[in-house]
């Protein structure tokens, strides 16, 4: 315990956070990597709890106290081995998990002393492992003849691909995008997760033998049944891509855009792609008044992207108050530091303009009685309307799944009333034999860490399914 339990004498510290005025100028990540001494010192604040609530509240149940201790003792290679045993992409989670709601928010020393900076240490350990060449491509112990087709190269599909390949399966991943990573690449902005971090993992998977088929849309380039014929098992990890809309007067005006359209254009531009809608100014906030509607993480990414593009003003309209917003409190603070104006308890009533949007008319809201979920229902306050200048209005109202049975050409694929895929949570299998599912498409719009967890669980379920099939074939033969 010599190096641990220092939380009384050592204050909580994060890696150096770049000044907001500098952050506004570029899309670089806002935190630097921990220095070695600082990482060891911060890891040493952990009190090594008998019942570690950090671990309980981490969706991957990472063995946090042990890798914190190893970091404090300078045993970084062992710390990496342990961290990567339960987490396929610890450097991603260390950067973008909402730690304030998961591991760190539940750290027992959070009240009174400030929780251990778990995410930053996880990132530090993994980046150190990359720097030292400790992270190697998958090398299966033995090759298996069975192949698995994965639809979707987001974190759910990538995590499953990694685990299945380790088990020796021939893994093919199909994605309609031109790059691997799903929302890690085209949704989440660079200032939260640099794209090179995702590309590095995609390269490792390729080196390990995973075959990616990009620009391949299931439903257009092959039906689900055609893929079932090609592979011994299928995993669907297609995420959520139907956007919730807003039907207010003036919604048809130009320059009212969906959040993902806006973020994808910005991410593509950052990756060096040709993006005509950005170059023409349609999806570029430079010099403009921007109004973002919504209070989740997607809305936070939009406001902070607009700031970096050089917007003249950026306002965020959210119908509830700060305490009740779905996004991470940490992200709101970053946005405020960067100059975003939050207009709490307000909702759009109409979009005004002549051909293109010029103003958003909004109403003040009060929080009424709680609904069935316990959340107070926002209600409009009479005669409270006000106007905000808007050259671009961005709708960040959430996502729904696409209609997969129609898209995949198989009406038998069972869905819930929310259009997520129906699976058995014991086997992760849909109602179609040998077809499994993972990530947002089963859970609803969620988090990267949950997609990783589902991908790993689904890979284990596929392994169990294929092993059972192989022993049945041996028995019959
Ligand atoms: P996705 O990442 O959506 O990947 C699905 C993949 O399937 C995509 O690549 C898509 O092209 C492909 N696909 C879909 N249909 C087909 C088809 N028919 N054929 C072939 N390919 C197909 N989570 C966090 O933890 N932290 C954050 O900070 C965070 N920020 C976010 C910001 C934004 C803007 C958004 C939208 C989400 C954010 N999330 C965040 C949520 C997180 O990104 C998702 O929960 C996670 O990516 C889900 O992973 P997935 O693998 O299920 O799906
Ligand atoms: Fe915390 Fe996420 Fe890492 Fe788990 S995976 S320890 S929740 S940062
Ligand atoms: Fe350490 Fe906090 Fe986890 Fe306890 S809850 S083991 S103090 S990180």
């Amino acid at each position: 315990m010599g190096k641990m339990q220092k939380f009384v004498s050592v204050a909580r510290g994060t890696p150096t956070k770049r000044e907001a005025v500098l952050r506004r100028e570029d899309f670089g990540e806002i935190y630097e990597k921990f220095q070695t001494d600082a990482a060891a010192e911060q890891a040493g604040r952990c009190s090594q709890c008998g019942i570690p609530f950090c671990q309980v509240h981490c969706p991957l149940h990472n063995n946090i106290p042990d890798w914190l201790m190893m970091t404090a003792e300078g045993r970084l290679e062992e710390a990496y081995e342990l961290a990567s045993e339960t987490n396929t992409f610890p450097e991603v989670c260390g950067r973008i998990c909402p730690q304030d709601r998961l591991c760190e928010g539940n750290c027992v020393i959070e009240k009174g002393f400030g929780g251990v900076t778990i995410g930053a240490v996880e990132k530090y350990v993994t980046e150190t492992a990359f720097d030292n060449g400790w992270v190697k491509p998958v090398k299966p112990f033995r090759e298996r003849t069975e192949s698995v087709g994965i639809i979707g190269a987001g974190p759910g599909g990538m995590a499953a691909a990694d685990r299945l390949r380790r088990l020796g399966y021939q893994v093919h991943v199909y994605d309609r995008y031109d790059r691997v990573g799903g929302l890690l690449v085209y949704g989440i902005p660079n200032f939260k997760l640099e794209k090179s971090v995702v590309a590095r993992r995609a390269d490792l998977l390729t080196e390990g033998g995973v075959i990616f088929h990009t620009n391949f849309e299931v439903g257009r380039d092959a039906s689900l049944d055609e893929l079932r014929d090609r592979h011994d098992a299928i995993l669907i990890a297609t995420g959520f891509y139907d956007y919730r809309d807003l039907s207010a007067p003036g919604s048809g005006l130009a320059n009212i855009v969906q959040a993902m359209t806006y973020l994808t254009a910005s991410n593509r531009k950052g990756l060096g792609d040709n993006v005509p809608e950005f170059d023409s100014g349609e999806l570029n906030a430079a010099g403009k008044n921007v109004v973002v509607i919504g209070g989740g993480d997607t809305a936070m990414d939009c406001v902070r992207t607009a700031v970096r593009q050089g917007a003249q003003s950026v306002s965020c309209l959210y119908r509830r108050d700060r305490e009740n917003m779905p996004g991470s409190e940490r992200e709101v603070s970053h946005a405020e530091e960067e100059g975003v104006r939050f207009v709490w308890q307000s909702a759009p009533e109409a979009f005004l303009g002549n051909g293109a949007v010029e103003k958003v008319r909004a109403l003040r809201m009060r929080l009424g009685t709680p609904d069935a979920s316990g959340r107070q229902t926002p209600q409009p306050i009479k005669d409270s309307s006000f106007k905000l200048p808007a050259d671009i209005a961005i709708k960040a109202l959430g996502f729904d799944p696409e209609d997969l049975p129609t898209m995949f050409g198989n009406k038998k694929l069972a869905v819930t009333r929310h259009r997520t895929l129906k699976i058995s949570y014991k086997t992760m299998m849909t109602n179609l034999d040998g077809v499994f599912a993972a990530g947002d498409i089963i859970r609803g719009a969620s988090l990267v860490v949950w997609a990783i967890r589902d991908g790993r669980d689904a890979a284990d379920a596929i392994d169990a399914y294929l092993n059972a099939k192989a022993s049945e074939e041996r028995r019959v033969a």
Side-chain angles (χ1 to χ4, degrees):
M1 284 294 166
K3 290 192 183 294
M4 303 307 289
Q5 299 180 335
K6 297 281 196 284
F7 61 93
V8 180
S9 53
V10 177
R12 175 184 157 94
T14 58
T16 308
K17 186 172 164 184
R18 297 198 293 132
E19 292 289 330
V21 280
L22 298 176
R23 291 182 345 230
R24 291 169 58 104
E25 298 300 315
D26 63 47
F27 280 79
E29 285 184 7
I30 70 166
Y31 285 107
E32 289 171 12
K33 188 180 148 191
F34 258 141
Q35 296 299 310
T36 302
D37 291 351
E41 187 177 53
Q42 288 296 316
R45 294 181 69 240
C46 169
S47 83
Q48 300 284 282
C49 303
I51 301 175
F53 283 102
C54 54
Q55 184 170 7
V56 172
H57 289 272
C58 165
L60 295 161
H61 301 312
N62 283 342
N63 190 343
I64 299 165
D66 281 4
W67 50 251
L68 285 174
M69 183 176 67
M70 290 167 181
T71 306
E73 292 175 352
R75 295 155 56 197
L76 293 177
E77 193 165 358
E78 286 170 81
Y80 170 70
E81 289 297 327
L82 196 59
S84 59
E85 224 164 74
T86 46
N87 191 351
T88 321
F89 311 121
E91 73 285 13
V92 173
C93 294
R95 285 173 164 90
I96 59 167
C97 268
Q99 287 102 6
D100 50 347
R101 286 192 261 142
L102 301 171
C103 53
E104 293 180 14
N106 289 283
C107 171
V108 292
I109 60 170
E110 162 66 12
K111 300 245 163 354
F113 298 94
V116 178
T117 38
I118 299 166
V121 173
E122 194 175 19
K123 171 182 161 185
Y124 164 78
V125 165
T126 319
E127 287 303 330
T128 307
F130 273 106
D131 291 347
N132 286 283
W134 301 333
V135 188
K136 299 267 186 332
V138 178
K139 231 191 202 154
F141 184 61
R142 74 178 171 107
E143 291 290 343
R144 296 192 52 150
T145 52
E146 301 99 320
S147 78
V148 181
I150 299 177
I151 311 172
M158 285 172 81
D162 177 86
R163 205 157 171 89
L164 285 162
R165 190 64 199 121
R166 278 174 204 279
L167 293 165
Y169 293 104
Q170 309 310 309
V171 181
H172 291 254
V173 185
Y174 302 89
D175 202 292
R176 61 187 175 191
Y177 278 141
D178 51 350
R179 291 185 177 89
V180 171
L183 289 175
L184 300 181
V185 171
Y186 289 121
I188 298 172
N190 211 64
F191 53 82
K192 277 165 65 181
L193 175 66
E194 278 170 10
K195 304 303 158 206
S196 56
V197 172
V198 186
R200 186 172 62 183
R201 279 290 175 184
D203 289 348
L204 273 173
L205 286 172
T206 305
E207 276 180 62
V210 172
I211 297 167
F212 288 103
H213 305 260
T214 47
N215 293 313
F216 189 110
E217 180 167 332
V218 178
R220 183 193 65 193
D221 299 311
S223 68
L224 177 61
D225 287 339
E226 280 164 348
L227 284 194
R228 288 174 83 193
D229 289 342
R230 265 185 228 176
H231 300 289
D232 298 283
I234 294 287
L235 174 67
I236 303 176
T238 47
F240 258 42
Y241 286 89
D242 222 357
Y243 315 130
R244 292 200 189 131
D245 218 336
L246 183 70
S247 58
S251 306
L253 291 170
N255 301 339
I256 302 174
V257 299
Q258 282 291 352
M260 265 302 285
T261 311
Y262 173 68
L263 291 174
T264 304
S266 174
N267 279 318
R268 280 199 180 281
K269 194 69 200 165
L271 285 159
D273 291 355
N274 177 27
V275 189
E277 303 84 359
F278 183 93
D279 297 336
S280 69
E282 194 185 326
L283 295 175
N284 181 356
K288 296 182 178 160
N289 295 303
V290 180
V291 173
V292 176
I293 301 153
D297 286 333
T298 304
M300 296 311 105
D301 289 348
C302 291
V303 289
R304 297 179 66 204
T305 296
V307 165
R308 283 160 175 79
Q309 287 177 346
Q312 189 178 331
S313 74
V314 184
S315 308
C316 181
L317 288 184
Y318 180 56
R319 59 200 183 128
R320 292 190 167 90
D321 57 8
R322 186 180 189 127
E323 287 67 43
N324 286 293
M325 70 181 299
S328 159
E329 165 61 30
R330 201 179 48 178
E331 296 297 315
V332 179
S333 304
H334 293 327
E336 279 178 334
E337 289 165 10
E338 291 162 9
V340 174
R341 176 182 167 223
F342 284 88
V343 191
W344 303 112
Q345 292 182 237
S346 57
E349 191 187 18
F351 298 97
L352 312 174
N354 185 12
V357 66
E358 290 165 20
K359 289 190 173 78
V360 175
R361 194 172 73 222
L363 274 175
R364 304 270 174 210
M365 311 295 275
R366 66 177 181 81
L367 294 180
T369 46
D371 61 15
S373 70
R375 292 181 84 198
Q376 285 177 284
T377 319
Q379 288 165 349
I381 300 173
K382 213 170 151 239
D383 300 328
S384 65
S385 71
F386 63 99
K387 290 178 193 156
L388 286 172
D391 305 308
I392 300 188
I394 302 172
K395 298 178 281 188
L397 302 163
F399 302 91
D400 285 315
E402 288 159 291
D403 178 0
L404 285 195
T406 305
M407 192 162 120
F408 284 176
N410 188 328
K411 294 278 187 187
K412 288 195 195 127
L413 182 63
V415 295
T416 67
R417 67 193 165 93
H418 304 294
R419 295 211 313 230
T420 50
L421 287 184
K422 218 180 222 176
I423 58 159
S424 147
Y425 278 91
K426 229 166 152 187
T427 62
M428 308 277 302
M429 191 148 76
T430 64
N431 64 319
L432 303 181
D433 184 49
V435 178
F436 299 76
D440 279 5
I441 194 60
I442 57 167
R443 208 173 261 289
S446 179
L447 293 173
V448 168
V449 65
W450 279 113
I452 296 172
R453 164 77 190 268
D454 287 345
R456 293 170 67 97
D457 287 352
D460 289 344
I462 290 170
D463 183 44
Y465 168 84
L466 291 175
N467 284 337
K469 216 169 148 186
S471 35
E472 178 60 16
E473 277 164 13
R474 277 197 300 273
R475 197 185 62 78
V476 173

